[in-house]
Amino acid sequence: QQQVKQSPQSLIVQKGGIPIINCAYENTAFDYFPWYQQFPGKGPALLIAIRPDVSEKKEGRFTISFNKSAKQFSLHIMDSQPGDSATYFCAASKKSSGDKLTFGTGTRLAVRP
Amino acid sequence: KAGVTQTPRYLIKTRGQQVTLSCSPISGHRSVSWYQQTPGQGLQFLFEYFSETQRNKGNFPGRFSGRQFSNSRSEMNVSTLELGDSALYLCASSLGHRDTTYEQYFGPGTRLTVT
């Protein structure tokens, strides 16, 4: 049972564009939603995270938008650069499950120069 | 502050053998979680240890086990290796407290190949 659905599977944008990656969750007990960036041969790196009491969070060029009623959240990358080309994963966790993260399937982003 | 370290980085084993992977968390972090990453199944949670106790477990067979030491370092063991165990095994650490953020930081992973 996939509890976090992520789309699209892959995405190509031009430099300066704003790629948007979407995730939807089923379990309303989830209370923490991080995004990770992974380069080939590396472990996932924490980018930004949000909790359900906030509708938007911005850190640098990365913004999370959160819609609690729709059980959806998304990552926006402003002014994207070729160096942002990587695989992005959304995830979710809930207090009763400790640090267990349930991941989306990932989005492979390519930013063309 | 040093990040999460994992050893070894690469490993080749034969079916039926067993393997032990090691993880050193960020200094001060008391929770260590393990994940398996494969192209087909993505990132899947194996188990979490906090203060030397397994706090949570994913849906993996009993061949997968782990432990945590008093210095928070953790090991995971896979016995009777199968071809399907070939994967990138990732370790993540966090402070582990219930009333703070759940920020988890991943290590570079151990690439296990079973032949």
Side-chain angles (χ1 to χ4, degrees):
Chain A
Q1 180 192 8
Q2 184 185 358
Q3 295 191 50
V4 179
K5 295 183 179 179
Q6 183 172 347
S7 63
Q9 195 171 13
S10 62
L11 190 54
I12 301 173
V13 299
Q14 291 297 124
K15 178 183 173 183
I18 306 176
I20 300 173
I21 304 170
N22 301 298
C23 284
Y25 62 97
E26 300 164 4
N27 193 333
T28 55
F30 285 142
D31 62 358
Y32 175 70
F33 303 89
W35 284 89
Y36 285 86
Q37 176 191 59
Q38 187 176 29
F39 292 104
K42 306 286 186 181
L46 179 63
L47 268 179
I48 185 174
I50 198 167
R51 296 192 181 276
D53 54 345
V54 176
S55 61
E56 184 176 282
K57 183 175 180 180
K58 187 178 294 186
E59 285 187 7
R61 296 185 294 108
F62 300 95
T63 299
I64 299 179
S65 297
F66 188 85
N67 186 328
K68 187 175 180 179
S69 61
K71 294 187 287 185
Q72 295 176 348
F73 58 109
S74 60
L75 176 70
H76 301 230
I77 305 175
M78 311 303 287
D79 187 28
S80 60
Q81 302 296 312
D84 296 329
S85 298
T87 300
Y88 293 81
F89 293 93
C90 62
S93 70
K94 51 185 179 178
K95 283 184 182 178
S96 61
S97 295
D99 279 355
K100 174 185 176 181
L101 286 171
T102 299
F103 281 90
T105 50
T107 296
R108 184 170 294 183
L109 171 66
V111 181
R112 300 292 186 223
Chain B
K1 190 182 274 191
V4 177
T5 58
Q6 293 186 244
T7 57
R9 292 293 313 281
Y10 304 92
L11 208 48
I12 300 176
K13 289 287 188 178
T14 305
R15 269 183 305 175
Q17 289 186 315
Q18 74 166 15
V19 66
T20 300
L21 312 181
S22 181
C23 171
S24 292
I26 292 171
S27 177
H29 284 192
R30 296 170 63 192
S31 170
V32 173
S33 298
W34 289 89
Y35 293 81
Q36 181 195 65
Q37 185 174 26
T38 60
Q41 298 299 316
L43 280 151
Q44 292 189 290
F45 173 80
L46 280 156
F47 29 66
E48 177 202 355
Y49 287 87
F50 179 79
S51 293
E52 302 178 66
T53 301
Q54 188 179 85
R55 191 159 69 173
N56 210 344
K57 189 177 188 302
N59 297 321
F60 279 81
R63 299 185 296 106
F64 292 81
S65 63
R67 59 176 175 168
Q68 186 180 36
F69 303 95
S70 58
N71 61 358
S72 294
R73 191 177 68 85
S74 177
E75 289 181 347
M76 69 163 280
N77 184 278
V78 187
S79 62
T80 319
L81 283 166
E82 300 177 0
L83 294 178
D85 297 332
S86 295
L88 181 67
Y89 289 89
L90 293 158
C91 165
S93 78
S94 80
L95 289 170
H97 298 300
R98 281 286 167 265
D99 57 352
T100 59
T101 57
Y102 300 90
E103 294 168 341
Q104 287 187 60
Y105 299 91
F106 283 82
T110 294
R111 172 73 62 185
L112 172 65
T113 302
V114 182
T115 62

